[in-house]
Amino acid sequence: MTGSSRADTAQQVRVRPDIAALAPYTPTASLEVFAAQLGRPVRDLIKLDANENPYGPSDKARAALAALDTTHIYPDPEARTLRAMLSEYVGVNAAHILAGAGADELIALILQLFVAPGDAVISTPPTFAMYAFDTPLAHGRVINVPRRDDFSLDVPAIEAAARDSGAKLLFVCSPNNPDGSVIPPETIERLLALPLVVVLDEAYLEFSGAESFAPRVPQTPNLIVLRTFSKWAGLAGLRVGYGIFPAAIIAHLWKIKQPYNVNVAADAAARASLADLPALRANVERLIAERARLERALAAIPWLRPYPSRANFVLCRVTGMNAAELRSRLAQEHGILVRHYSTPGLQDCVRISAGTPEQVDRLLRALREIGETYA
């Protein structure tokens, strides 16, 4: 179907014009889909394109899933046991915590709560794409304030945008996806002085060594902190995240969230993960070590320029060949999947997730072989 015929069909069935014109978000595919596309068995593939945890869930989480016998019963709509455990984990009273079907659901809920038609929301690209993707769905308008060349925030430009647009929300990610940089605490303090709500996405915090701002939330009426089990706990496929909210904000979120938004499997696995922290933290340390090894090894390749990262991935600018071709050759010739970017600020970039030592070894061998053809 052509673009014009799709538009005609959308008009005929009275789809919202802004959604009819919206460009679709393109997420990474599953291993099974990639295997079919590449004509390789799943076991031959290495998936380093979505910042997933290659070690998967903890043993206790796997056992909790295997023993689950309540899939025919709706989950607790308040996820009370999970929130009580999260209270201990983040050091904030459970009354400030709301669990969600991934942090993605909470981003959409925050926008739904605050944004009236035409309201402005500030994003700081390159960053996590869902902030800008979800805003128009809530009838808001995105004000992009690009990051500097080193991916640091342009704070004076953010302040000017907040003043000029009257924005209600500012989304910032630390460590930032896709480059892995951490926002200095004094910068966040400066942003909190703005007349808007700062949504601080700490999805990769466990890999950073940085201090969370979550304990600050109860005393900071314009701060929201988002966290997730997807990365450090290996639960990306179960979609479970949580937010820490000021009392005046969370009271309204309870009104609008779906009643059974965290399914029983996600709830059980998240609770078991919090009961198995030493094992999961050991996996985090392994991934930090492999991230550091990746940074050193990639920096030694003349046609690659990695950026410093404090997440579980490394963003790398490709300087000696086409980045899309590199991504394709890694997949087609070696069965290794990495993320390719061509958007503003990320031209000729690939992002590579930290894997197991064996996966990183295979990636580095593949890069050396590919590089030999460009010598």
Side-chain angles (χ1 to χ4, degrees), residues 304-364:
L304 295 177
R305 182 160 66 90
Y307 291 91
S309 173
R310 289 171 66 182
N312 66 330
F313 54 81
V314 178
L315 181 72
C316 196
R317 197 168 296 276
V318 184
T319 60
M321 69 178 73
N322 181 276
E325 180 185 354
L326 174 61
R327 188 261 184 198
S328 178
R329 289 192 62 182
L330 283 170
Q332 297 287 342
E333 299 172 14
H334 301 277
I336 300 173
L337 309 168
V338 301
R339 184 72 178 266
H340 165 247
Y341 293 96
S342 58
T343 51
L346 295 173
Q347 294 90 344
D348 300 316
C349 282
V350 294
R351 190 194 65 199
I352 305 171
S353 307
T356 65
E358 296 77 16
Q359 290 173 336
V360 173
D361 286 344
R362 186 168 143 188
L363 168 73
L364 296 176

Side-chain angles (χ1 to χ4, degrees), residues 1-12:
M1 185 181 291
T2 66
S4 60
S5 60
R6 281 196 298 267
D8 291 343
T9 301
Q11 185 176 17
Q12 185 179 22

Side-chain angles (χ1 to χ4, degrees), residues 15 40 45 108 130 159 187 228 247 251 268 273 318 334:
V15 170
R40 289 171 172 263
L45 299 182
M130 294 308 294
E159 291 170 334
T187 297
T228 180
S273 297
V318 184
H334 301 277

Side-chain angles (χ1 to χ4, degrees), residues 55-339:
Y55 295 104
S58 75
D59 288 344
K60 288 186 178 180
R62 294 178 195 273
L65 291 170
L68 194 63
D69 61 357
T70 56
T71 54
H72 60 299
I73 302 295
Y74 286 117
D76 174 11
E78 297 183 20
R80 277 167 275 217
T81 303
L82 173 58
R83 289 170 50 239
M85 296 180 74
L86 283 169
S87 174
E88 293 188 22
Y89 182 63
V90 299
V92 176
N93 190 287
H96 293 278
I97 298 173
L98 183 70
D104 286 355
E105 183 196 20
L106 299 175
I107 292 168
L109 279 173
I110 291 165
L111 289 163
Q112 185 179 350
L113 179 64
F114 282 98
V115 176
D119 282 345
V121 174
I122 298 175
S123 183
T124 59
T127 193
F128 186 43
M130 294 308 294
Y131 314 140
F133 178 83
D134 281 342
T135 295
L137 302 182
H139 301 281
R141 55 192 175 92
V142 180
I143 307 296
N144 283 319
V145 180
R147 289 173 178 251
R148 298 189 174 99
D149 289 343
D150 64 355
F151 297 104
S152 62
L153 293 177
D154 187 343
V155 177
I158 292 173
E159 291 170 334
R163 180 184 63 248
D164 295 342
S165 69
K168 286 185 173 179
L169 296 169
L170 164 65
F171 283 92
V172 288
C173 188
S174 182
N176 187 47
N177 178 11
D179 67 285
S181 61
V182 169
I183 303 172
E186 59 271 20
T187 297
I188 297 173
E189 297 284 2
R190 183 169 166 181
L191 296 174
L192 287 169
L194 293 171
L196 45 66
V197 173
V198 176
V199 184
L200 177 59
D201 188 342
E202 294 184 342
Y204 299 93
L205 182 92
E206 281 82 359
F207 300 97
S208 71
E211 187 174 348
S212 173
F213 263 71
R216 289 280 307 278
V217 170
Q219 292 78 39
T220 312
N222 66 326
L223 174 63
I224 293 170
V225 172
L226 301 180
R227 303 281 290 273
T228 180
F229 285 83
S230 293
K231 319 301 181 183
W232 71 278
L235 300 183
L238 288 175
R239 313 307 302 124
V240 55
Y242 57 100
I244 301 95
F245 301 89
I249 293 176
I250 199 169
H252 298 292
L253 286 170
W254 280 112
K255 302 175 190 176
I256 65 173
K257 86 165 188 71
Q258 294 293 319
Y260 305 114
N261 59 327
V262 179
N263 69 69
V264 292
D267 183 86
R271 287 187 281 114
S273 297
L274 292 170
D276 206 6
L277 290 177
L280 289 171
R281 285 171 173 155
N283 287 341
V284 166
E285 291 303 317
R286 294 184 183 100
L287 291 173
I288 291 172
E290 290 307 304
R291 177 199 72 202
R293 182 162 76 104
L294 258 181
E295 288 182 285
R296 293 191 299 270
L298 295 173
I301 298 175
W303 42 275
L304 295 177
R305 182 160 66 90
Y307 291 91
S309 173
R310 289 171 66 182
N312 66 330
F313 54 81
V314 178
L315 181 72
C316 196
R317 197 168 296 276
V318 184
T319 60
M321 69 178 73
N322 181 276
E325 180 185 354
L326 174 61
R327 188 261 184 198
S328 178
R329 289 192 62 182
L330 283 170
Q332 297 287 342
E333 299 172 14
H334 301 277
I336 300 173
L337 309 168
V338 301
R339 184 72 178 266

